[in-house]
């Protein structure tokens, strides 16, 4: 099912509609939502509005959402289910829906569809869904990791600063389980980019506390689009290798986020954010866990990219975010690692 909403996602309260669609979704169908945003309004209270958009994306991670500049359709007041029906709506000053008119007459619907669909042009797309094949074809990741500055918001495991042999083990898993050859090639390309450029860059890692603890206990991470179960020995080596890199490069910063307070600030943990000054993409862990493409969303608009990077700067200043030094990380590891590894043994048995 494909929907086209000629509405400003920052102004309207879309929870009712998104919640309804999420409840109607089954494993046998995908729901795609094309929705608008007024970029000029992003300049006012941009942090608050970006949080709202990211919250919707996280809260309804089972819906595949693409965002458009609403310049061409902002006055249409139409919600369209392609080839089925349209709703004409009215909103009050608070962005709440007040009335709907159902349009299902075929002739009228065809005329409305023609106008609405022609307004959702590719050039107005601010962020777009991308499957794994698209990422491979365009070499997006390899180019992405050649930058010298990064912000990462990680919500499941910690896939960075891995020892070389662990990445080789992931590649071996791909080969054994007959993943597409392009996955294997991408693993090796990114491994080289990480070793030669990435690990010497300026990097901010924002990691949920619960995610880090779950990784230490259960050892699950997602490398690119590939789920991988690390052993206790691999996690021990991961820690040692990461500490060496952190000691070598003082421009890598690790921020741990307290989940309880964080989620009260209208952010959730289904979507990982991977960004630099020029490129940004999201990783949808809900779709990854369900093994349902598309797994990724690419941000095409520089204004939105800049606002999300600014959001990271603001998160640094909050009471739910704390930066940990290398020495503090060593103390935490010495205090908790043995407990987590013992918990791993219980789980495995």
């Amino acid at each position: 099912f494909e929907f086209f909403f000629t509405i400003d996602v920052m102004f309207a309260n879309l929870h009712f509609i998104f919640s309804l669609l999420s409840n109607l979704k089954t494993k046998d169908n995908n729901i795609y939502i094309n929705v608008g945003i007024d970029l000029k309004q992003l300049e006012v209270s941009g942090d608050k509005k970006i949080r709202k958009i990211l919250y919707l994306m996280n809260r309804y991670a089972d819906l595949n959402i693409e965002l458009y500049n609403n310049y061409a359709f902002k006055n249409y007041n139409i919600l369209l289910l392609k080839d089925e029906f349209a709703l004409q709506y009215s909103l009050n000053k608070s962005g709440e829906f007040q009335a709907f008119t159902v349009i299902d007459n075929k002739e009228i619907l065809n005329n409305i569809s023609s106008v609405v669909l022609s307004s959702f042009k590719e050039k107005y797309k601010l962020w777009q869904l991308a499957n794994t094949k698209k990422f491979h074809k365009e070499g997006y990741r390899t180019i992405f990791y050649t930058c010298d500055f990064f912000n990462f918001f990680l919500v499941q495991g910690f896939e960075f600063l891995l020892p070389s042999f662990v990445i080789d083990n992931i590649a071996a898993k791909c080969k054994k389980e007959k993943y597409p050859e392009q996955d294997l090639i991408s693993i090796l390309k990114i491994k080289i980019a990480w070793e030669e450029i990435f690990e010497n860059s300026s990097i901010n890692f924002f990691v949920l506390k619960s995610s880090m603890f779950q990784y230490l206990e259960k050892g699950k991470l997602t490398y690119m689009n590939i789920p991988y179960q690390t052993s206790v020995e691999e996690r021990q080596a991961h820690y040692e290798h990461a500490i060496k890199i952190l000691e070598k490069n003082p421009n890598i910063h690790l921020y741990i986020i307290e989940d309880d307070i964080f989620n009260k600030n209208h952010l959730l943990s289904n979507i990982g954010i991977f960004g630099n000054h020029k490129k940004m993409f999201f990783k949808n862990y809900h779709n990854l866990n369900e093994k349902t493409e598309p797994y990724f969303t690419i941000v095409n608009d520089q204004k939105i990219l800049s606002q999300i990077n600014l959001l990271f700067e603001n998160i640094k200043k909050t009471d739910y975010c704390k930066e940990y030094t290398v020495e503090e990380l060593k103390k935490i590891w010495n205090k908790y690692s043995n407990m987590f590894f013992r918990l791993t043994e219980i789980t495995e048995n």
Side-chain angles (χ1 to χ4, degrees), residues 257-307:
I257 293 174
E258 295 286 345
D259 300 47
D260 292 342
I261 306 175
F262 179 69
N263 285 333
K264 290 176 183 176
N265 282 268
H266 307 298
L267 290 163
L268 293 169
S269 55
N270 288 317
I271 304 294
I273 303 175
F274 301 68
N276 58 43
H277 285 316
K278 296 180 180 179
K279 291 181 178 291
M280 181 174 288
F281 67 94
F282 308 139
K283 184 186 290 190
N284 187 323
Y285 288 96
H286 175 275
N287 284 0
L288 281 160
N289 293 335
E290 294 292 322
K291 298 182 179 179
T292 303
E293 294 267 20
Y295 297 149
F296 308 102
T297 299
I298 297 173
V299 177
N300 295 326
D301 181 72
Q302 192 64 38
K303 186 177 291 185
I304 292 178
L305 188 154
S306 297
Q307 281 290 344

Side-chain angles (χ1 to χ4, degrees), residues 68-91:
Y68 289 76
N69 187 333
N70 72 349
Y71 168 80
F73 53 77
K74 63 181 178 180
N75 297 317
Y76 287 179
N77 286 29
I78 292 290
L79 308 180
L80 173 69
L81 173 55
K82 188 177 179 181
D83 301 325
E84 298 294 336
F85 66 85
L87 295 175
Q88 189 172 31
Y89 64 85
S90 63
L91 299 174

Side-chain angles (χ1 to χ4, degrees), residues 122-326:
E122 192 73 19
K123 66 180 180 179
Y124 295 141
K125 194 175 288 188
L126 305 177
W127 71 40
Q128 66 182 96
L129 299 165
N131 57 29
T132 306
K133 185 179 290 187
K134 178 179 177 64
F135 256 45
H136 290 333
K137 183 178 180 180
E138 297 180 358
Y140 186 92
R141 278 199 197 90
T142 307
I143 298 171
F144 173 82
Y145 286 114
T146 58
C147 190
D148 60 0
F149 169 83
F150 299 92
N151 278 322
F152 296 106
F153 177 62
L154 307 176
V155 298
Q156 288 191 20
F158 192 83
E159 65 196 79
F160 293 97
L161 312 184
L162 288 165
S164 180
F165 82 91
V166 176
I167 299 176
D168 291 340
N169 289 345
I170 296 172
K173 172 196 170 172
C174 284
K175 193 170 184 180
K176 181 180 179 180
E177 296 182 5
K178 294 182 170 51
Y179 274 73
E181 184 180 2
Q182 194 59 51
D183 280 336
L184 184 59
I185 294 172
S186 290
I187 288 173
L188 300 177
K189 282 184 176 180
I190 291 174
K191 177 185 175 184
I192 294 171
W194 282 13
E195 292 174 349
E196 296 297 326
I197 301 173
F198 173 72
E199 291 177 356
N200 298 310
S201 302
S202 177
I203 309 170
N204 295 314
F205 291 113
F206 297 85
V207 187
L208 295 180
K209 186 176 181 179
S210 64
S211 172
M212 185 65 82
F213 279 9
Q214 286 174 11
Y215 172 61
L216 290 174
E217 178 185 346
K218 299 179 180 179
K220 294 180 180 179
L221 57 79
T222 303
Y223 185 88
M224 301 191 328
N225 54 293
I226 301 156
Y228 184 72
Q229 175 66 56
T230 61
S231 66
V232 169
E233 291 75 21
E234 286 174 324
R235 266 169 277 162
Q236 176 74 38
H238 188 181
Y239 160 75
E240 293 171 356
H241 184 68
I243 289 296
K244 286 181 182 178
I245 294 173
L246 291 171
E247 288 177 331
K248 179 182 176 183
N249 184 355
N251 293 317
I252 299 179
H253 304 276
L254 179 65
Y255 299 90
I256 302 296
I257 293 174
E258 295 286 345
D259 300 47
D260 292 342
I261 306 175
F262 179 69
N263 285 333
K264 290 176 183 176
N265 282 268
H266 307 298
L267 290 163
L268 293 169
S269 55
N270 288 317
I271 304 294
I273 303 175
F274 301 68
N276 58 43
H277 285 316
K278 296 180 180 179
K279 291 181 178 291
M280 181 174 288
F281 67 94
F282 308 139
K283 184 186 290 190
N284 187 323
Y285 288 96
H286 175 275
N287 284 0
L288 281 160
N289 293 335
E290 294 292 322
K291 298 182 179 179
T292 303
E293 294 267 20
Y295 297 149
F296 308 102
T297 299
I298 297 173
V299 177
N300 295 326
D301 181 72
Q302 192 64 38
K303 186 177 291 185
I304 292 178
L305 188 154
S306 297
Q307 281 290 344
I308 295 176
N309 280 329
L310 182 60
L311 173 62
F312 284 123
E313 291 301 311
N314 292 334
I315 287 175
K316 289 180 185 179
K317 303 170 187 175
T318 64
D319 57 358
Y320 56 80
C321 178
K322 172 178 168 54
E323 181 179 4
Y324 283 83
T325 66
V326 173

